[in-house]
Amino acid sequence: MSLPARITRAIEDLRTQRRDPLCAYLYDLPALDRHVRAMRAALPANCELFYAAKANPEAPILRTLAPLVDGFEAASGGELAWLYEHCPKHPLIFGGPGKLDSELEAALDCHVDAFHVESVHELRRLAHLAATQGRRAPVLLRLNLKLAEAPDSRLVMGGRPTPFGLDEEALDEALALLRHEPALELKGLHFHLLSHQLDVAAHLQLIRAYCRTFRRISQEQGLQLPLLNVGGGMGINYQDHSQSFDWPGFCQGLKDLIAEEGMAGTRIRFEIGRFISAACGYYVMQVLDIKCNHGQYFAVARGGTHHFRTPAAQGHDHPFVVLRGNQEPDLHGQPVTFVGQLCTPKDVLARQQPVAELAIGDLLVFTLAGAYAWNISHRDFLMHEPPQMVFLDR
Ligand SMILES: Cc1ncc(COP(=O)(O)O)c(C=O)c1O
């Protein structure tokens, strides 16, 4: 694996700028721009692309995405306030379980484009709050589907018992409330059953099931719903990025699916996180020490899983590139375990990885570090300094 020349140059520049060993996140904003433009260009006409900010809500990332996406998804009151501050003109949607009354009120004040309602209790509370404020709340009901074949990936949110979304058995009660409550406006249905999807055919099959359920419920209940939200979940293959979710192939299949399922008159909305921002991010650590312990080599580098929890969260060896410095190599071809500065044996980023050469002072550049990385990390643990944050612009 090699790095884009522009990234290597930027990292080499950073190396010379600081006295202390380097530890930084680098984001390639032009690459993010190109990636999302290509995603958009491939989407069928009646589809919308929202960004799930939980993947990475850094302000420059949002600023880069703002002109390219149809809106943003917030999964907490905190994310919603942040998105409203940074992208006030964009449609925002508010989802997630366990919403507080204060958060629902704040979302009404932000005039969100849709509330993704997770339970009948939440729907009742929203109705009451909207009625009290003299407002009408736009609602998408999130459903946890029962499917003949349960979806399968490393992170499943539905199609089996989970805390997410309404059971179809609760639908009649929810729809009765929606019919009789003028403070609520039902705009559509929402599904997000899994993340880490790598299989295009399986994902198209899942979306076909969403479409059929959407049409069946609309017919059975005599509803004319304009909007179907099909969630996100397109996966990144961390071991071989060329095998990540095939977006162009998926969009081609989606065009046919929309025609076959008679969905051309419905807005189909995606709210994607990982697949949008993962590839634009890099986490850089400088090697502080190399040692042999009980016959195995360890490289201790500046930073760790308190900055970059992705390898620990995924339970994988994260891909990286070594940028050699000027030192004579300490190791030639031996397998090395790469760890951070934390005093826990869990602070491991990649295990027993063969490297051609390695010396103290070399840089480790972890790729695919732009989603569910810095923002999911236990950054206060041990009170180490945060990484430098670098956003490469044009
Ligand atoms: C409801 C919902 N929508 C969208 C997403 C984004 O998923 P991904 O980052 O896999 O695209 C998630 C992730 O947890 C989610 O729970």
Side-chain angles (χ1 to χ4, degrees), residues 191-208:
F191 302 95
H192 174 84
L193 291 199
L194 54 80
S195 284
H196 288 301
Q197 177 66 273
L198 291 172
D199 182 337
V200 165
H203 208 62
L204 285 168
Q205 202 180 331
L206 189 61
I207 291 190
R208 196 180 289 280

Side-chain angles (χ1 to χ4, degrees), residues 46-329:
N46 62 319
C47 293
E48 295 178 347
L49 184 60
F50 276 56
Y51 176 58
K54 59 174 79 75
N56 185 334
E58 293 291 334
I61 300 274
L62 299 181
R63 267 201 302 279
T64 304
L65 293 175
L68 307 174
V69 296
D70 294 289
F72 296 92
E73 187 244 6
S76 74
E79 274 190 2
L80 185 63
W82 178 257
L83 287 170
Y84 192 61
E85 182 189 333
H86 289 87
C87 314
K89 300 216 167 78
H90 279 72
L92 304 178
I93 50 188
F94 185 30
K99 299 179 191 73
L100 308 180
D101 280 0
S102 55
E103 293 175 325
L104 292 172
E105 279 169 350
L108 285 165
D109 290 341
C110 295
H111 299 279
V112 292
D113 184 80
F115 288 84
H116 289 175
V117 172
E118 295 263 346
S119 75
V120 175
H121 177 58
E122 187 179 299
L123 192 62
R124 275 203 206 96
R125 287 167 45 233
L126 179 60
H128 172 71
L129 294 168
T132 308
Q133 292 194 9
R135 298 247 174 90
R136 208 149 183 245
V139 168
L140 263 68
L141 291 177
R142 180 176 183 181
L143 293 183
N144 183 356
L145 276 187
K146 285 199 184 75
L147 295 169
E149 220 174 289
D152 194 19
S153 81
R154 285 163 50 217
L155 197 61
V156 174
M157 283 87 164
R160 61 175 75 164
T162 70
F164 306 115
L166 284 108
D167 207 90
E168 246 200 90
E169 269 83 82
L171 193 60
D172 282 343
E173 192 183 355
L175 289 175
L177 186 64
L178 280 154
R179 283 199 180 92
H180 295 110
E181 181 48 78
L184 299 176
E185 180 195 2
L186 180 63
K187 288 176 66 174
L189 302 180
H190 172 229
F191 302 95
H192 174 84
L193 291 199
L194 54 80
S195 284
H196 288 301
Q197 177 66 273
L198 291 172
D199 182 337
V200 165
H203 208 62
L204 285 168
Q205 202 180 331
L206 189 61
I207 291 190
R208 196 180 289 280
Y210 295 164
C211 291
R212 289 186 178 173
T213 307
F214 180 87
R215 293 195 56 197
R216 173 174 57 77
I217 291 173
S218 300
Q219 265 165 19
E220 284 172 5
Q221 302 283 347
L223 298 166
Q224 294 245 314
L225 300 174
L227 184 58
L228 168 62
N229 185 316
V230 294
M234 291 71 195
I236 293 290
N237 185 327
Y238 286 95
Q239 303 319 315
D240 180 359
H241 188 36
S242 71
Q243 298 302 309
S244 288
F245 191 78
D246 171 14
W247 180 259
F250 170 72
C251 289
Q252 195 51 49
L254 185 63
K255 279 184 190 135
D256 298 339
L257 186 155
I258 287 170
E260 287 155 17
E261 298 299 326
M263 294 295 288
T266 305
R267 267 187 301 143
I268 298 181
R269 179 177 286 176
F270 289 86
E271 50 179 28
I272 297 175
R274 188 184 309 272
F275 191 75
I276 288 182
S277 57
C280 77
Y282 301 83
Y283 179 57
V284 186
M285 305 169 81
Q286 191 153 13
V287 177
L288 304 173
D289 204 350
I290 295 176
K291 54 188 175 184
C292 186
N293 224 322
H294 288 241
Q296 288 191 10
Y297 285 99
F298 291 83
V300 183
R302 174 137 196 228
T305 53
H306 56 305
H307 295 164
F308 183 47
R309 200 168 74 87
T310 317
Q314 298 300 326
H316 71 199
D317 297 317
H318 205 90
F320 65 94
V321 172
V322 176
L323 291 185
R324 290 276 290 112
N326 303 323
Q327 307 287 334
E328 282 301 306

